[in-house]
Amino acid sequence: MIMQKWWRRALRKVRYVAAGSLVVGLLSVLPVSPASAATGQISGLAGKCVDVAAASSANGTPVQLYDCNGTNAQQWNVGSDGTIRALGKCLDVADNSTANGAQLHLWDCTGGANQRWTVTAARDIVNPQADKCLDVTGNNSANGTRLQIWTCTGAANQKWNAPATGGGNPNPSGFVVSEAQFNQMFPGRNSFYSYSGLTAALSSYPAFATTGGATISRQEAAAFLANVSHETGGLVHIVEQNTANYPHYCDWGQPYGCPAGQAAYYGRGPIQLSWNFNYKAAGDALGIDLLGNPWLVQNDSAIAWRTALWYWNTQNGPGTMTPHNAMVNQRGFGETIRSINGSLECNGGNPTQVQSRVTTYQRFTSILGVPTGANLYC
């Protein structure tokens, strides 16, 4: 029944996003220094450390395993911007390669995806572009053994104790988007759309941004956040701005009617939940009486985020698949647009709005250090 109703979204799509508020350029990713960093040794196989050969800061200097000695060649800054730095330069995958066995060296920090790293809760250090782990070549613990990237196996030669938390995840939430990255994405957001509210909501849909490997997980997070950014003018608007539409979102043909009132089911939250039947479906799925109290979506940050994740993970909308499945199955960002507002924007319906979503997605994937993938448009 919900799927038969999505044509009615046309009433609410005149809402908010003013052209002047849209970000139209890609964010520069040429950091001079990490926004914040924890500094120390990175230890791993046989208790040895990640080391810059001969403590040289020259471009191309090999990065290797070596006895821990506390010198500057082993002092690494694990930054919230995704870089790992020593001697003023970045840990870099040679030749921008994503292949197994691509070696690591030191290089000038460029902001490239081959210099982006994520320390996971499982103590892997992952390059999201390659979706591969920092690896000791040949499982060899001898001093001078080169470090490389390799498909993540969970083996001891891929486990590291990074300085951020003494070996754990530098992002305590476990979400693939750190709070610093979230704030970078939404510098002017309404405080209602809190990072803590978002991370509290993640447990409702544990497959979100955790499926398909590091790259796909970050692409999905970027896609979700890009779409909600578009829906809310950069996480500024909590409720639909066109109040004249409010009385139109009650379908009295539903057996449960509109117990909160004729004008109570207007758009709210990150993905602008609207219509009484959608409040009913989302509330039933989440175990919350949203039909009787739709105001929870505008008063409780975690509930607002949960409704957006409900749609993202369970609803096809006017598309043929959920946005979650579109990203996990690598159907592309364009398919997420189709599932959210394809009946009005896709197939030439509103190319300006589609471009706005795509531009934001490109910016967010840049922040997360991953490629956009194919099929950006619908």
Side-chain angles (χ1 to χ4, degrees):
M1 181 159 47
I2 294 171
M3 295 305 98
Q4 297 170 352
K5 301 290 184 178
W6 281 103
W7 62 271
R8 300 188 183 191
R9 287 173 60 93
L11 281 171
R12 74 171 185 80
K13 279 299 175 181
V14 295
R15 290 192 311 271
Y16 355 71
V17 184
S21 68
L22 295 175
V23 177
V24 295
L26 291 179
L27 181 73
S28 171
V29 288
L30 301 178
V32 175
S33 60
S36 61
T39 303
Q41 294 176 326
I42 300 175
S43 61
L45 187 68
K48 296 190 175 183
C49 281
V50 178
D51 178 278
V52 180
S56 172
S57 62
N59 282 344
T61 300
V63 175
Q64 61 187 7
L65 198 70
Y66 208 86
D67 290 330
C68 297
N69 53 38
T71 63
N72 287 339
Q74 297 179 358
Q75 296 300 304
W76 296 94
N77 288 10
V78 180
S80 62
D81 62 351
T83 60
I84 298 179
R85 306 177 184 222
L87 302 174
K89 297 197 174 179
C90 279
L91 182 65
D92 178 285
V93 182
D95 300 320
N96 201 32
S97 175
T98 61
N100 279 343
Q103 293 190 325
L104 303 184
H105 57 203
L106 211 62
W107 202 269
D108 291 330
C109 296
T110 65
N114 64 322
Q115 295 181 352
R116 299 285 180 171
W117 304 90
T118 298
V119 184
T120 74
R123 297 193 299 118
D124 302 311
I125 298 180
V126 181
N127 175 241
Q129 173 180 247
D131 199 16
K132 291 182 168 64
C133 281
L134 178 65
D135 178 282
V136 181
T137 302
N139 198 30
N140 184 349
S141 62
N143 283 344
T145 301
R146 287 292 298 267
L147 301 185
Q148 62 182 8
I149 56 170
W150 197 270
T151 301
C152 298
T153 65
N157 65 322
Q158 295 182 352
K159 297 301 179 183
W160 305 95
N161 296 306
T165 57
N169 186 355
N171 177 12
S173 74
F175 187 32
V176 294
V177 180
S178 70
E179 186 167 9
Q181 289 168 331
F182 181 76
N183 290 335
Q184 187 178 0
M185 291 171 175
F186 302 104
R189 65 179 170 84
N190 190 310
S191 60
F192 173 79
Y193 291 116
S194 65
Y195 182 76
S196 60
L198 171 57
T199 56
L202 296 176
S203 61
S204 295
Y205 293 96
F208 170 72
T210 63
T211 306
T215 295
I216 290 175
S217 295
R218 282 159 181 76
Q219 288 172 338
E220 182 180 9
F224 171 76
L225 292 171
N227 278 298
V228 302
S229 178
H230 181 86
E231 293 287 305
T232 59
L235 289 186
V236 171
H237 299 296
I238 301 171
V239 301
E240 180 174 355
Q241 300 299 284
N242 188 350
T243 58
N245 279 345
Y246 286 14
H248 298 301
Y249 298 123
C250 172
D251 180 2
W252 286 106
Q254 302 298 327
Y256 39 78
C258 299
Q262 171 78 29
Y265 299 100
Y266 50 86
R268 296 178 176 91
I271 221 157
Q272 289 297 288
L273 187 70
S274 56
W275 288 98
N276 58 328
F277 46 82
N278 287 323
Y279 278 90
K280 176 70 162 61
D284 288 350
L286 298 171
I288 307 168
D289 181 17
L290 297 182
L291 182 69
N293 188 0
W295 295 277
L296 287 170
V297 182
Q298 70 188 70
N299 293 329
D300 186 307
S301 180
I303 289 177
W305 282 114
R306 289 175 72 191
T307 63
L309 290 170
W310 164 79
Y311 185 86
W312 183 268
N313 288 277
T314 70
Q315 302 300 298
N316 292 353
T320 60
M321 65 190 74
T322 68
H324 169 72
N325 285 337
M327 295 307 296
V328 168
N329 296 324
Q330 300 184 64
R331 294 292 297 275
F333 179 71
E335 284 300 317
T336 72
I337 302 173
R338 191 179 303 280
S339 297
I340 290 173
N341 203 33
S343 59
L344 294 178
E345 295 181 15
C346 295
N347 303 317
N350 196 328
T352 300
Q353 296 299 300
V354 171
Q355 185 60 59
S356 166
R357 295 180 194 266
V358 171
T359 298
T360 305
Y361 174 64
Q362 290 171 325
R363 184 167 69 91
F364 288 180
T365 53
S366 176
I367 290 172
L368 297 180
V370 292
T372 60
N375 303 321
L376 296 181
Y377 295 86
C378 63

